[in-house]
Amino acid sequence: NEFAAQDAIRKMVEEGLPEVCNKIIKARSTTDELFCITSEMLSALLCFSASDNSTQQPSAADCLHSTMRFLADEKSSIDAKASGAKLLAFISRESTQSKSQISRDRSVRALVETTSNHVENFELVRNTMFLVSSLSVDDTSFDLSLVGHVKDIIEGAFGANPDDPDLNAYICGFV
């Protein structure tokens, strides 16, 4: 039932699961697969906490640099890049400072370029567009030189998935 699920997630947040996720992501020995699982869990906790006023909002800012490292690393899997993009989108919503740090980092360019070459990977496209739409809200720090690549992503993804409501929302958010 929905209330039991919400209560379980609330307890996970209260018992420190976001902090554990941060530690796993920050560890140098974290593999792509473990990064994917952990960043997806942390993203879900952040998403739930943002919509639940009775839960203390956890922070993922501690793992910001480690997440950007995964995105910038050419050896990281496409799945790791997709999971990292989603997590960075949630982190960028925590503060304008986080948003600015993410926007200025080379990992965003690496992610956008990778995504423009893999528009067939819907999860990567959706999460990259989620991140780009979150970052583009702040036009003082958003790297406008990415617009051409983002346009390529939009054209490729929208052609393949014209009816996806999340993707459409992210595209509208970017535009």
Side-chain angles (χ1 to χ4, degrees), residues 100-173:
S100 181
Q101 276 185 291
I102 295 166
S103 288
R104 290 188 175 103
D105 193 81
R106 65 183 174 84
S107 63
V108 174
R109 173 169 296 286
L111 173 69
V112 169
E113 289 173 356
T114 297
T115 305
S116 69
N117 293 323
H118 292 88
V119 292
E120 74 285 351
N121 187 311
F122 187 65
E123 196 67 22
L124 177 64
V125 168
R126 182 191 306 210
N127 292 343
T128 299
M129 288 307 303
F130 178 31
L131 174 60
V132 168
S133 69
S134 298
L135 296 177
S136 66
V137 171
D138 182 2
D139 60 355
T140 61
S141 63
F142 184 72
D143 183 357
L144 294 176
S145 70
L146 296 175
V147 171
H149 289 296
V150 174
K151 178 183 164 282
D152 294 341
I153 294 168
I154 291 171
E155 289 173 350
F158 190 73
N161 304 286
D163 298 325
D164 183 74
D166 290 335
L167 182 60
N168 289 332
Y170 301 148
I171 291 170
C172 289

Side-chain angles (χ1 to χ4, degrees), residues 7 58 60 80 98 149 165:
D7 191 45
S98 293
H149 289 296

Side-chain angles (χ1 to χ4, degrees), residues 12-26:
M12 285 185 241
V13 171
E14 290 168 359
E15 291 178 11
L17 185 57
E19 290 79 14
V20 172
C21 291
N22 277 323
K23 288 178 184 177
I24 291 170
I25 291 170
K26 286 170 52 176

